[in-house]
Amino acid sequence: MFRHTCNTADSRDELKKSGISASVAPFPASGLACLVGLTVPPEPVVGIYAPTAHYHDEVIPQLAVQFPDIGFFVTGVTEQESFEVGNIRVIGKGVYDKRRYYGAVSVVIRMTKHDSLPRTLIEAMVARRHIITNVRMPAGEDGVELERTEPDFRSISKVLDKLISGGGWKELADEKRQKFWLGQSDYGKYRETVHEMFQDDIVIVP
């Protein structure tokens, strides 16, 4: 039997309407403070959270070929040890260090079909890294409504090229997002104001 856990009370109530019982797990702000004070690395490096074969076999290799002078640091894989293939470095779970990872990358790519708001995006905002994502967060009548677009190589490469060639990666992303998340004690509070955080240097893949 599956146990369902939501990150907001609203999600729990929606599931309850369908006869599905779920509990609410608050999002802790702890563990984010180590990402404060990071500087911009001297060279553009892209961090990608890639838990699925779609990324491993298709998206990442194509990006690495199109951007041969950029390093790609990949996390989310099952391997315990790290290894390198060309300009791709896969960071194993056994050696992953959050502060070192975000300190080494200037752009974070995080695509998702199911997550409401991936923790990777929150960590990237606290680290003041630029983000490429397909998480759309327009302001809805009752807070934030989430939409999904299909992540594909062409869309990702287009916005990454703009961010790299335009030099945007050389600057820290907006500090207001960092302060916002450091001030949160639970995940549910984001519904009222988080859509304001996804502007400017947060690049939405069309």
Side-chain angles (χ1 to χ4, degrees):
M1 179 177 180
F2 291 102
R3 296 180 61 185
H4 299 276
T5 304
C6 303
N7 53 24
T8 69
D10 290 339
S11 298
R12 176 199 59 196
D13 295 341
E14 286 298 315
L15 287 174
K16 187 176 181 180
K17 293 177 183 178
S18 301
I20 301 174
S21 176
S23 58
V24 178
F27 167 75
S30 62
L32 298 176
C34 69
L35 301 177
V36 176
L38 297 176
T39 58
V40 179
E43 300 294 334
V45 176
V46 178
I48 304 179
Y49 180 82
T52 65
H54 171 67
Y55 280 101
H56 299 166
D57 301 335
E58 299 179 30
V59 176
I60 296 175
Q62 292 183 77
L63 288 173
V65 171
Q66 181 172 348
F67 301 93
D69 297 326
I70 296 177
F72 291 86
F73 286 10
V74 182
T75 62
V77 296
T78 59
E79 288 83 353
Q80 288 296 308
E81 300 298 325
S82 299
F83 62 90
E84 295 186 19
V85 180
N87 56 335
I88 302 173
R89 182 180 182 187
V90 178
I91 303 175
K93 289 185 177 181
V95 295
Y96 174 75
D97 180 277
K98 181 165 40 180
R99 181 174 173 82
R100 289 183 63 186
Y101 171 72
Y102 285 101
V105 304
S106 47
V107 179
V108 172
I109 296 176
R110 178 65 164 98
M111 300 292 167
T112 180
K113 290 185 178 180
H114 307 292
D115 294 335
S116 57
L117 182 59
R119 183 182 173 90
T120 304
L121 296 185
I122 297 173
E123 292 175 346
M125 284 188 275
V126 173
R128 298 182 64 183
R129 280 1 187 192
H130 297 275
I131 299 171
I132 297 176
T133 181
N134 65 333
V135 177
R136 294 181 178 272
M137 307 191 82
E141 294 180 356
D142 62 342
V144 174
E145 297 176 355
L146 304 181
E147 297 179 300
R148 291 289 176 271
T149 57
E150 184 69 24
D152 65 275
F153 163 71
R154 290 178 179 271
S155 297
I156 297 173
S157 64
K158 182 178 179 180
V159 292
L160 178 59
D161 181 63
K162 181 178 180 180
L163 190 58
I164 298 299
S165 62
W169 67 271
K170 297 179 181 179
E171 303 292 334
L172 290 171
D174 201 321
E175 187 179 16
K176 67 183 179 182
R177 300 177 184 86
Q178 179 190 80
K179 292 181 177 179
F180 172 81
W181 287 113
L182 290 177
Q184 300 307 297
S185 59
D186 68 80
Y187 218 159
K189 291 183 179 180
Y190 84 85
R191 289 182 62 85
E192 295 182 1
T193 55
V194 75
H195 61 275
E196 298 176 3
M197 316 305 288
F198 282 76
Q199 305 291 334
D200 306 324
D201 47 287
I202 302 298
V203 184
I204 304 299
V205 175

